[in-house]
Amino acid sequence: MNSGTAIAREEPAGAFRQIMAWLHTWGGLLAGWLLFAIFFTGSLGVFDDAITRWMKPEAPAVELRDWDRASLVRMGQSYLEETVPRSHFWSIGLPTKDIPVIRLFYEDEQEQFQSERLNPATGEPMPNDAERETEGGHHFVHMHYEFHAGTAGVWLVGVFTMAMLVALVSGVIIHKRIFKDFFSFRPGKGQRSWLDAHNAVSVLSLPFLFMIAYTGLATFYSLYMPAAIEVHYPEEGSFFAELLDQPRHRPETDVDAAVVPLDGLLLRAEAEMGRAASFVVVEHPGDSSAAARVFGVFDEAEARGKLLPGTSGRVEFDAVNGELWDVQVPGEIRGGAATATQAVMRTLHFAGFGGYTVRWLYFLLGMAGAAMMATGAILVMVKRRQKSLREFGIHTPRVYRLVEVLNVGSIAGLALSCIAMLWLNRLIPIGIEDRAAWEIRGFFLVWALTLLHAALRPAGRAWVEQLLVCAALCLTLPVLNALTTGSHVLVYWAQGDGPRLGVELTVIVFGLLCGLGAYGLLRRQRQARPLLNAARPPLLQRGAESEARG
């Protein structure tokens, strides 16, 4: 083989790798800002119940005991019939250990979602100041999969998840020594250190990232691939009714008809399922098409260790005459192998099979994924601070500046807004209207302010300042909690309240990490300043002067 032939064969591979490198750099950067938010909030969402418990510090307003569930359902139905006799749906949630009240959900006459809580002893609505209204940890779950933007948000997350799969594949292709580099970390080497960190967290979390991205897309398969359903079925409900061998959805008839007593349906359903009920849902109450579904209590211990645990039980009735339509006993699996496979993927994605051990593993690997996005985005600019590649001609400095601003705001700014959410939970008065919505608005307002701050400050100063504020908010959160509720780490420890204790300790650790990050950045900036003053590259002149002033 002559040298010319060898070069000719190497050129396509080199060109392909260059294309993959460009795709990995700019595709990863553009997607990385939102993917960081998806992974960071998703990691927090693994402990959504624990965060919700911390965000609801008030003691239960009623005593938890073995209530007569039929009488509780009767109370709920009585309230709903008086408040919204006709609605798209009613939902009655029975008391649990964490929420010892009757929870009602329904659509009002303006088709707006509403909720109410009833005292199980009296059936009367609970006063607004009895417990703070909050989205709790579910806020982070909603951020993870739809950014509080409904179906459009789910699509946005799906598109960026696909972009992440492209970035992962292209990253494996361009890094020839990726597994060898996994064992190499050279601190204090500038760009080399950032690349080592990026490689290390990438390889460490690579199998998890592929799994979590693929299972996330599979969870919403009917939304992302609706064509076959829309062609063959009048609506999505008919598809699932056939797939799961369940009664079909009945359209409204506009003929008035009263709902039978739901307490009787509850008792019949519990007898059929062989376990207690947790929820009763009525579709189209007040209409002759009304249907009632009773759901069994989810048994976490029963599901532990199973990737395919089956349902918790479900019984469906005609809500007008009480006719029994369908019984799905606990553990039963319907829909064939394809549905079972999708259910396994859903269990894998939601960490629903291994208790706290698996949840902590998901939390750490999810944070490693977020770190991969962050180090990748930072690496792009570390490389270009040393030498501009002039990819955008005369606009290159402006594009670089925009990337710096978005890096700071989407990474440090998001972390800051997450901890600010916990502060808002303690500072917003209890009992005000739409309190939960105000917490979420506050979260987005703080995030927007961090972007504005990043745009107004030199990049180096913005990183340090936002990390310092984040550290301060984290480390003083226990003090705020003690001042506003009287509870703190020692109280939780003494009470054996593991979820609240875990939240507060994790916040303290996170604050220490932010403080260390800010200190490290500040020290490096002080060390680099004399060097920059001695030999300042033309491209960085303006930025370096700005850094020095900051």
Side-chain angles (χ1 to χ4, degrees), residues 6-30:
I7 293 172
R9 289 186 177 178
E10 288 175 5
E11 280 180 348
F16 176 70
R17 186 165 282 114
Q18 283 185 345
I19 293 172
M20 289 295 103
W22 183 91
L23 183 65
H24 185 74
T25 299
W26 291 105
L29 179 67
L30 292 175

Side-chain angles (χ1 to χ4, degrees), residues 258-420:
V259 174
V260 297
L262 294 176
D263 54 341
L265 300 187
L266 176 98
L267 295 176
R268 289 170 59 192
E270 290 186 338
E272 294 285 350
M273 292 187 293
R275 71 168 53 184
S278 61
F279 262 93
V280 178
V281 176
V282 180
E283 189 178 61
H284 305 160
D287 189 90
S288 64
S289 65
R293 300 184 187 92
V294 181
F295 295 89
V297 172
F298 175 71
D299 188 338
E300 188 170 350
E302 182 183 81
R304 187 168 300 144
K306 296 180 181 176
L307 287 175
L308 189 56
T311 69
S312 58
R314 176 182 181 277
V315 181
E316 185 162 353
F317 300 92
D318 184 319
V320 175
N321 59 26
E323 179 185 355
L324 177 64
W325 282 349
D326 183 49
V327 177
Q328 189 169 4
V329 296
E332 182 180 349
I333 299 166
R334 294 180 180 178
T339 300
T341 303
Q342 195 261 351
V344 169
M345 291 188 179
R346 198 170 58 240
T347 305
L348 277 171
H349 191 83
F350 292 112
F353 58 96
Y356 273 101
T357 303
V358 170
R359 289 183 191 177
W360 273 108
L361 183 64
Y362 271 50
F363 175 80
L364 294 174
L365 289 174
M367 283 296 178
M372 182 191 73
M373 316 295 175
T375 54
I378 293 169
L379 179 61
V380 170
M381 286 315 302
V382 168
K383 183 177 180 181
R384 282 157 180 78
R385 280 192 210 122
Q386 297 175 357
K387 181 181 179 182
S388 172
L389 300 184
R390 304 191 65 80
E391 300 101 319
F392 306 97
I394 61 173
H395 301 294
T396 298
R398 291 191 183 91
V399 174
Y400 285 0
R401 174 60 181 158
L402 178 63
V403 172
E404 293 271 28
V405 170
L406 291 175
N407 276 353
V408 177
S410 62
I411 298 171
L414 176 73
L416 202 160
S417 58
C418 286
I419 188 62

Side-chain angles (χ1 to χ4, degrees), residues 420-428 435 438-439 442-443 446:
M421 179 91 177
L422 301 185
W423 270 71
L424 290 170
N425 176 261
R426 292 296 189 261
L427 295 178
I428 295 177
R435 188 185 182 284
W438 279 111
E439 285 185 359
F443 167 85
V446 172

Side-chain angles (χ1 to χ4, degrees), residues 453 457-466 522 525 529 547 550:
H453 170 263
R457 298 287 287 163
R461 299 296 301 174
W463 276 110
V464 172
E465 289 163 1
Q466 293 200 16
L522 197 58
Q525 288 170 14
R529 192 170 299 167
E547 294 285 328

Side-chain angles (χ1 to χ4, degrees), residues 104 106 128 145 213 228 241 324 345 362 491 549:
L104 304 180
Y106 56 92
N128 286 336
Y145 80 91
L324 177 64
M345 291 188 179
Y362 271 50
V491 172
R549 287 195 299 272

